[in-house]
């Protein structure tokens, strides 16, 4: 059964259609790649899915519910998490507290019904949970370091850990391995590969083709806002339209 | 966890020592002008403390804080004079009226940075006009007189020593309450919104709601300060809730250090000292403020609090607020 359905998803900025009539669906448990040249509209798709932008037209059905008008903080409630191309962390807080923030919706003070009811979880409990998630993504020794002192790769891992704290059913990763070396990106691939087992479906934007081809079960290709191909890595590599867009740069990497 | 150790070894004992010293002032300076001066310092410090929460903790640059000081004063005095309530329930009335003001201000919170600052300044100017004109409620510029002394659980606080102890206790409770809040999940979310709004939104923080809650919490100390001011002086006149008071309050916060709760009181001490002691230069008070702010922003962007931290050898966070 499909977890996410996009119907005629469109976002225009002035006369430019950044995302133009995108239709696709993601199955529960899949790892979907979203590729395309610079300016193809990949990040705009992530912003639309996570509520940072509202579509000009079209529907986003998540788990059978239309969520395209829901504000960002409610998308998190629905189970959609995300990371950013440029990590958006609080540099003054420790790595651990940055991760804890991901469980914001479970904090006692996040919602009135948490404050009044018994659904609240204590900060200490969440810190323990965040430490476990941090360990899992390989930040074990860095949890008490201010996030401002982390390397770029560790910042990205912190963002992934933060997103996981919300226990998302769909995680949107915007270039998770940009600027990482091969060993680091292999580690990220391992982390991402384990996500569907924990009930998290993944949509990943990435320019690193070997990473995408090796990780994703299906790949969608955007070009100038339009979805030009949707298929398995093998199908995508031999799609003439995709080849034309990439001028053969996909090579035979998979 | 260095920060926890530092908090245990340095901050808590230091805070306790300062608090004990402040309580010790009461018997030592009983009946003196100095103690009355300290009452005003603490009252203004309370109003500045609420503003520090908005500006320093939430990044909401409110330039109309005197309005909440006034709303608290008038709300409380109405309950004291018309319903003959005692001080604690009058605090409740003051908070309700100040919160009503915060709700009126809420739509302005959509604005950011300089735009919110201007709008809040206008909000303060508007309420100052209301305070001046709505004579049946506020007494206008002539003010409300014969406001009773503070009375809690049957004890009336008449002497300046008693009033000082009351004001000090209320200040300490507000200070402690805010300190606890900032260490809770609420504080964590506020840090997140100030430092990385996108990251906060992606984590499910309702930024608009959180900013409003910060303002709502930040109007409580000035509301209490309003009642205490009225009862300590037994008179309130609308002239003390004008834009110059708002400017004075933001000045206190900046002088003390935007990131520091006790800085609000340190700022109030300096501002009130400049206003009261050198009588001959009192009329040049704002000239002094201006020079002081300019110098501090250049030499010490973290305010007096950061200077103290540097002297104590701890690496303080020298930061200007992100607005």
């Amino acid at each position: 059964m499909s977890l996410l359905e996009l119907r005629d998803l469109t976002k225009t900025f002035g006369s430019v259609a950044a995302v133009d009539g995108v239709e696709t669906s993601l199955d529960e448990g899949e790892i979907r790649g979203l590729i395309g040249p610079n300016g193809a509209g990949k990040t705009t798709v992530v912003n639309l899915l996570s509520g940072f932008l509202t579509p000009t037209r079209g529907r986003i059905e998540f788990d059978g519910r239309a969520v395209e008008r829901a504000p960002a903080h409610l998308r998190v409630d629905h189970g959609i998490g995300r990371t950013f191309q440029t990590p958006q962390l609080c540099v003054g807080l420790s790595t651990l507290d940055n991760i804890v923030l991901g469980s914001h919706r479970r904090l006692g003070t996040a919602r009135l019904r948490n404050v009044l009811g018994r659904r609240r979880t204590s900060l200490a409990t969440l810190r323990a949970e965040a430490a476990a998630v941090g360990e899992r993504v390989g930040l074990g020794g860095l949890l008490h370091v201010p996030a401002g002192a982390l390397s770029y790769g560790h910042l990205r891992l912190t963002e992934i850990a933060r997103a996981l704290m919300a226990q998302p059913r769909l995680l949107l990763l915007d270039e998770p391995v940009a600027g990482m070396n091969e060993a680091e990106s292999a580690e990220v691939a391992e982390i991402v590969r384990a996500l569907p087992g924990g009930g998290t479906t993944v949509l990943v934007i990435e320019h690193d083709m070997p990473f995408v081809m090796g990780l994703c079960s299906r790949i969608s290709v955007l070009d100038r806002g339009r979805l030009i191909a949707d298929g398995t890595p093998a199908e995508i590599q031999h799609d003439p339209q995709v080849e034309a867009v990439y001028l053969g740069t996909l090579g035979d990497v998979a | 966890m260095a920060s926890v150790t530092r908090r245990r070894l340095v901050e808590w004992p230091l805070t306790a020592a300062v608090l004990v010293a402040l309580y010790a002032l009461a018997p030592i300076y009983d009946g003196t002008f100095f103690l009355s001066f300290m009452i005003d310092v603490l009252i203004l410090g309370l109003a500045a403390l609420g503003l520090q929460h908005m500006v320093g903790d939430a990044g909401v640059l409110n330039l109309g804080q005197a309005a909440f000081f006034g709303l608290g004063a008038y709300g409380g005095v109405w309950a004291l004079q018309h319903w003959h309530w005692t001080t604690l329930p009058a605090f409740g009335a003051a908070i309700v009226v100040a919160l009503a003001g915060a709700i009126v201000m809420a739509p302005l919170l959509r604005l950011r940075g300089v735009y919110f600052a201007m709008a809040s300044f206008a909000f303060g100017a508007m309420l100052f006009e209301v305070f001046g004109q709505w004579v049946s409620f506020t007494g206008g510029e002539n003010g409300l007189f014969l406001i009773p002394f503070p009375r809690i659980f049957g004890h009336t606080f008449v002497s300046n020593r008693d009033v000082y102890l009351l004001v000090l206790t209320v200040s300490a409770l507000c200070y402690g309450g805010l300190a606890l809040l900032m260490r809770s999940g609420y504080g964590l979310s506020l840090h997140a919104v100030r430092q990385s709004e996108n990251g906060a939104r992606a984590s499910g923080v309702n930024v608009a709601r959180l900013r409003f809650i910060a303002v709502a919490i930040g109007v409580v100390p000035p509301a209490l300060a309003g009642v205490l001011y009225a009862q300590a002086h037994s008179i309130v006149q609308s002239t003390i809730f004008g834009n110059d008071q708002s400017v004075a309050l933001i000045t206190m916060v900046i002088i003390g250090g935007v990131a520091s709760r006790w800085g609000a009181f340190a700022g109030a001490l300096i501002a009130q000292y400049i206003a009261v002691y050198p009588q001959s230069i009192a009329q040049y008070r704002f000239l002094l403020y201006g020079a002081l702010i300019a110098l501090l922003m250049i030499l010490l962007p973290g305010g007096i609090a950061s200077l103290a931290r540097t002297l104590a050898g701890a690496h303080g966070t020298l930061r200007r607020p992100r607005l």
Side-chain angles (χ1 to χ4, degrees):
Chain A
M1 164 181 168
S2 71
L3 179 67
L4 180 75
E5 294 264 354
L6 305 183
R7 292 277 161 264
D8 189 27
L9 188 64
T10 301
K11 178 68 184 178
T12 55
F13 296 104
S15 59
V16 181
V19 173
D20 194 356
V22 167
E23 306 221 351
T24 188
S25 66
L26 260 74
D27 286 335
E28 188 123 39
E30 89 172 274
I31 299 178
R32 171 72 62 94
L34 180 62
I35 64 172
N38 282 327
K42 304 181 297 292
T43 297
T44 306
V45 168
V46 166
N47 283 337
L48 290 168
L49 293 179
S50 58
F52 278 65
L53 290 174
T54 312
T56 313
R57 195 173 74 229
R59 284 173 74 81
I60 301 171
E61 254 178 50
F62 184 73
D63 201 19
R65 272 185 296 190
V67 299
E68 67 271 358
R69 301 285 148 194
H73 64 273
L74 291 183
R75 304 277 176 112
V76 177
D77 274 357
H78 287 306
I80 303 177
R82 73 168 292 178
T83 65
F84 295 85
Q85 222 171 78
T86 314
Q88 303 283 316
L89 294 165
C90 308
V91 292
L93 294 178
S94 68
T95 305
L96 183 70
D97 277 350
N98 270 287
I99 299 174
V100 169
L101 184 68
S103 55
H104 172 82
R105 304 300 285 177
R106 286 185 280 152
L107 275 172
T109 43
R111 285 177 290 188
L112 199 59
R113 75 163 176 218
N114 292 12
V115 177
L116 301 176
R118 296 182 168 205
R119 287 170 46 94
R120 59 192 302 174
T121 314
S122 79
L123 198 52
T125 311
L126 291 175
R127 282 213 167 99
E129 195 184 319
V133 173
E135 295 275 352
R136 207 168 94 211
V137 302
L139 289 166
L142 298 164
L143 291 175
H144 300 294
V145 171
L150 293 179
S151 73
Y152 205 58
H154 288 137
L155 288 175
R156 293 191 171 285
L157 290 175
T158 306
E159 269 216 319
I160 293 175
R162 180 178 70 189
L164 290 178
M165 278 300 282
Q167 300 161 335
R169 296 186 58 202
L170 172 66
L171 179 57
L172 313 166
L173 300 171
D174 197 347
E175 300 197 18
V177 298
M180 284 190 186
N181 63 35
E182 231 169 275
E184 288 172 326
S185 77
E187 276 170 40
V188 173
E190 271 320 297
I191 293 163
V192 175
R193 210 169 271 130
L195 291 177
T200 301
T201 304
V202 179
L203 176 72
V204 53
I205 295 181
E206 191 47 72
H207 281 293
D208 184 334
M209 284 306 146
F211 177 84
V212 175
M213 295 291 168
L215 179 67
C216 301
S217 43
R218 288 182 75 81
I219 294 173
S220 302
V221 187
L222 273 182
D223 181 38
R224 280 168 285 178
R226 291 173 184 277
L227 197 66
I228 59 166
D230 217 346
T232 64
E235 286 166 4
I236 291 298
Q237 279 186 70
H238 300 105
D239 187 300
Q241 248 188 304
V242 177
E243 271 181 29
V245 166
Y246 275 93
L247 293 167
T249 52
L250 290 182
D252 290 305
V253 285
Chain B
M1 305 234 282
S3 64
V4 171
T5 322
R6 188 164 70 90
R7 197 182 290 143
R8 287 214 183 108
L9 291 181
V10 182
E11 291 182 7
W12 288 356
L14 198 64
T15 309
V18 170
L19 198 60
V20 167
L22 284 171
Y23 273 103
L25 292 181
I28 298 171
Y29 292 97
D30 186 6
T32 63
F33 175 75
F34 172 70
L35 210 58
S36 300
F37 163 78
M38 284 303 291
I39 289 171
D40 283 344
V41 166
L42 288 172
I43 288 172
L44 290 170
L46 259 180
L49 179 70
L51 184 58
Q52 186 276 330
H53 182 59
M54 297 183 201
V55 182
D57 296 336
V60 174
L61 182 53
N62 174 11
L63 296 184
Q65 182 75 343
F68 298 110
F69 190 21
L71 286 170
Y74 292 125
V77 170
W78 184 271
L80 290 166
Q81 290 194 320
H82 291 259
W83 301 330
H84 306 289
W85 287 8
T86 57
T87 299
L88 285 185
F91 277 165
I95 290 170
V96 168
V97 174
L99 282 177
I103 290 169
V104 173
M105 187 187 241
L108 304 183
L109 283 166
R110 293 163 173 275
L111 304 170
R112 294 297 155 96
V114 141
Y115 302 97
F116 175 81
M118 280 317 296
S120 65
F121 191 75
F123 172 87
M126 202 177 74
L127 278 195
F128 176 56
E129 197 60 30
V130 172
F131 295 157
Q133 301 298 327
W134 191 4
V135 178
S136 60
F137 181 54
T138 67
E141 281 182 27
N142 293 325
L144 299 167
F145 306 92
L146 300 174
I147 296 162
F149 287 114
R151 189 171 170 79
I152 293 173
F153 299 133
H155 178 76
T156 307
F157 297 74
V158 180
S159 69
N160 78 345
R161 185 197 64 188
D162 277 13
V163 173
Y164 172 78
L165 287 173
L166 173 65
V167 173
L168 179 58
T169 303
V170 171
S171 301
L173 288 176
C174 286
Y175 183 96
L178 276 173
L180 277 179
L181 266 179
M182 283 312 289
R183 292 182 53 211
S184 73
Y186 163 76
L188 188 62
S189 315
L190 268 190
H191 277 298
V193 166
R194 202 187 58 242
Q195 293 184 26
S196 170
E197 188 169 329
N198 281 336
R201 286 174 71 198
S203 305
V205 178
N206 184 343
V207 175
R209 182 170 169 274
L210 198 67
R211 280 162 60 90
F212 173 72
I213 291 173
V215 168
I217 289 172
V219 304
V220 171
L224 304 184
V227 179
L228 290 170
Y229 179 92
Q231 295 202 292
H233 293 259
S234 91
I235 174 174
V236 269
Q237 291 168 309
S238 70
T239 45
I240 64 161
F241 305 123
N243 282 337
D244 50 350
Q245 186 69 271
S246 288
V247 172
L249 289 171
I250 193 78
T251 309
M252 292 169 200
V253 171
I254 293 171
I255 294 177
V258 174
S260 165
R261 263 179 299 284
W262 66 261
F265 291 97
L269 178 66
I270 291 178
Q272 192 62 4
Y273 182 84
I274 293 173
V276 170
Y277 274 93
Q279 281 298 340
S280 54
I281 58 158
Q283 53 188 315
Y284 302 117
R285 171 157 77 114
F286 282 97
L287 197 66
L288 263 175
Y289 277 172
L292 204 58
I293 290 187
L295 271 176
L296 269 172
M297 288 301 91
I298 294 164
L299 300 175
L300 208 60
I304 295 167
S306 70
L307 179 68
R309 263 177 225 154
T310 313
L311 291 179
H315 51 283
T317 45
L318 288 167
R319 65 174 171 82
R320 294 187 177 88
R322 278 183 49 137
L323 298 170

